[in-house]
Amino acid sequence: MPKSFPQADLAAATGATPLHWESVRGSGYATNTAKWSVELDDGRSVFVKLALDELASEWLRDEWRVYGSLSAGFLPEVVAWHDTCETTFLAIEDLADAHWPPPWLAGQVSLVLETLDEVHATMPPAGLPALADLREALDGWPIVAADPESFLSTGVCSRDWLAAALPRLAQASSECELEGEALLHLDLRSDNLCIRDGAVLFVDWNHACIGNPAIDAVGWAPSLRLEGGPDPWELVPETGGLASLIAGFFAARAGLPAPVTAPEVRVFPRRQAEVALPWAARELGLAAD
């Protein structure tokens, strides 16, 4: 699969000639996707994501399932989609002029929550997985229970505290409600959303699924807190055990080596676990470590 800028394919897909393109590092974790900001000769500016391996191609196809099926105010404009055995790329409107938090300005957190309500009220496209079918992949507490040393090496909690709290955390995580009919983003972070002209736009839809709408805000809350946002229990006062699920997700990953395709993916799980674990403990009435 080519790693160079797909100039000819982009020209054919957009009906315009690329005049200038600049590589964009972005704030995402993966290294198996190349990204460019591109100026076309018809005056448009586009953002291009090119898959560098088959895994990234599947991610882009998952994302296209949303973009290609929905027309909604919370989605950026799609300019081109190209998928052949040699090359897979997605081009959307360039959102460089939008506000990408942080910092979070007054009213923006509430605006994101309001827009999430719109997402969750939107009819999901066909073919999305069910969140309930992803429980095993999301629930990290069985992994921590089987091998606690990796998580304990992060220093997020003590060995004695984990031994005492783990049964309650694992039970809440295994029993929390995941079923639902809502369209979910499932990867809500500040680098996956921007605000332009008073509207929130969500990008990177490759984890989209269907299920309990509360998971989007719960999953967002720890990273938002790290960016100066509210305490997570202020954002979502009652999670029904979803806070335990999210805490376990981060706990199981915080001490692991990073995969080759995403060398920076372990940088933030520890910090997010430091927020999510006390949140889960607070909701379950567990003593602080």
Side-chain angles (χ1 to χ4, degrees), residues 36-204:
W36 292 275
S37 177
V38 185
E39 295 179 10
L40 302 175
D41 68 351
D42 61 4
R44 289 178 294 173
S45 295
V46 299
F47 177 77
V48 177
K49 292 200 295 185
L50 171 71
L52 301 182
D53 59 23
E54 185 55 31
L55 176 60
S57 294
E58 289 301 322
W59 290 347
L60 285 181
R61 291 174 191 129
D62 290 340
E63 192 165 3
W64 172 246
R65 186 175 292 114
V66 174
Y67 284 130
S69 302
L70 300 181
S71 177
F74 52 78
L75 292 174
E77 177 189 355
V78 174
V79 179
W81 167 246
H82 179 88
D83 187 19
T84 67
C85 58
E86 294 86 13
T87 308
T88 301
F89 66 77
L90 174 69
I92 64 173
E93 61 175 315
D94 195 329
L95 299 171
D97 62 341
H99 175 70
W100 293 82
W104 289 94
L105 307 181
Q108 289 184 339
V109 171
S110 295
L111 184 61
V112 171
L113 293 174
E114 292 169 6
T115 309
L116 272 180
D117 288 340
E118 297 178 22
V119 172
H120 299 151
T122 299
M123 180 69 69
L128 293 184
L131 178 65
D133 292 339
L134 304 177
R135 186 187 295 273
E136 184 176 351
L138 295 173
D139 188 354
W141 291 120
I143 298 173
V144 174
D147 180 17
E149 298 307 318
S150 176
F151 177 52
L152 288 173
S153 71
T154 67
V156 171
C157 69
S158 68
R159 185 180 301 274
D160 289 344
W161 187 92
L162 181 63
L166 187 54
R168 292 282 307 281
L169 291 164
Q171 180 180 5
S173 186
S174 66
E175 296 178 353
C176 64
E177 185 68 50
L178 300 184
E179 290 76 8
E181 301 299 325
L183 170 64
L184 309 176
H185 185 280
L186 202 62
D187 194 21
L188 193 61
R189 306 188 306 262
S190 59
D191 56 315
N192 285 341
L193 68 88
C194 63
I195 301 168
R196 185 182 63 186
D197 299 330
V200 177
L201 298 170
F202 297 113
V203 299
D204 288 356

Side-chain angles (χ1 to χ4, degrees), residues 19 22 26 31 72 83 94 102 107 121 123 164 177 191 208 223 244 247 253 260:
L19 296 178
E22 181 178 354
T31 59
D83 187 19
D94 195 329
M123 180 69 69
E177 185 68 50
D191 56 315
S223 64
S244 295
R253 290 158 176 79
V260 174

